[in-house]
Amino acid sequence: MRSLRACAVVLPLLTGGACTVAPAPSASLPPDAIAGAGDGTRAAILGTATAFATPAMLANRPDEAARAVAQLEFLAVEVPHGPRWSGMSPNVATALVMARNETRAALGIAPAASPQAVIDQLYSAARALRSGDRAAAERSLSPEVFQAGGAETLRRLAALPPLPSANNAAVLAQFELDRLDRLEDQGGGPGDGAAAGRS
């Protein structure tokens, strides 16, 4: 944040021109990502920690797997760039990006695909699966994003291989969330944002 302010103030004085800084990446979860009012990022951290810790939990449950992968996509953008999470160890951001790359390779997601497109399509597929419309779920997964095609992507979601990077990243994120919560409870440290939304 300090470097952005310096860029905004110093460079125009030196060059007489404007200082352009690319906006930080952003992504969001849909309203139905969590039940009722709550903190979507916190729910995503806890949800992925549970989902990827035990692959058997997701076996033959492509709707749950789709939601877990979508939440991981979201965290790989939100944690490194969201100001609320600046107190987290940078190791978490690195681990989340590695995890996103791992899940994208496992599912055949285009490496350059927009995280928001991945999130939106996975949640759309999960909703269709929960309503019993597999054909609609397949159509939700565009070949531009899910290069293996809708039917094959659903098959892969139902039988995810071990994803050690995803498990590691989710565990690290949960550990850091707990650490920031403890700091907040003790009345100090950069836990302000992390503690927001705790139930």
Side-chain angles (χ1 to χ4, degrees):
M1 200 66 180
R2 184 177 304 158
S3 62
L4 293 180
R5 283 196 295 268
C7 180
V9 174
V10 176
L11 283 184
L13 294 176
L14 295 177
T15 65
C19 176
T20 58
V21 177
S26 65
S28 61
L29 292 171
D32 60 345
I34 56 174
D39 183 334
T41 305
R42 176 179 294 275
I45 290 173
L46 299 178
T48 54
T50 299
F52 293 115
T54 310
M57 289 183 60
L58 300 178
N60 298 313
R61 299 177 68 184
D63 58 323
E64 291 293 334
R67 289 170 63 92
V69 173
Q71 289 172 350
L72 184 63
E73 280 278 338
F74 166 72
L75 292 174
V77 175
E78 173 62 18
V79 170
H81 302 288
R84 288 178 56 201
W85 312 105
S86 60
M88 278 196 175
S89 165
N91 293 337
V92 178
T94 301
L96 286 168
V97 171
M98 290 177 60
R100 178 181 61 193
N101 294 342
E102 179 184 62
T103 56
R104 284 192 173 202
L107 292 177
I109 300 173
S114 156
Q116 193 63 59
V118 175
I119 293 165
D120 291 344
Q121 292 186 29
L122 284 171
Y123 267 94
S124 181
R127 292 185 202 103
L129 288 171
R130 289 187 171 187
S131 68
D133 193 342
R134 190 175 181 86
E138 291 179 9
R139 291 193 300 270
S140 297
L141 304 169
S142 72
E144 294 79 15
V145 176
F146 294 89
Q147 297 174 320
E152 174 61 16
T153 300
L154 292 183
R155 187 195 68 76
R156 295 183 187 186
L157 284 167
L160 284 176
L163 298 168
S165 293
N167 181 39
N168 178 61
V171 169
L172 279 176
Q174 184 177 22
F175 177 85
E176 280 295 287
L177 181 65
D178 291 343
R179 183 182 66 82
L180 294 181
D181 284 348
R182 288 194 301 272
L183 282 175
E184 175 66 14
D185 289 341
Q186 293 164 8
D192 301 339
R198 268 192 289 173
S199 57

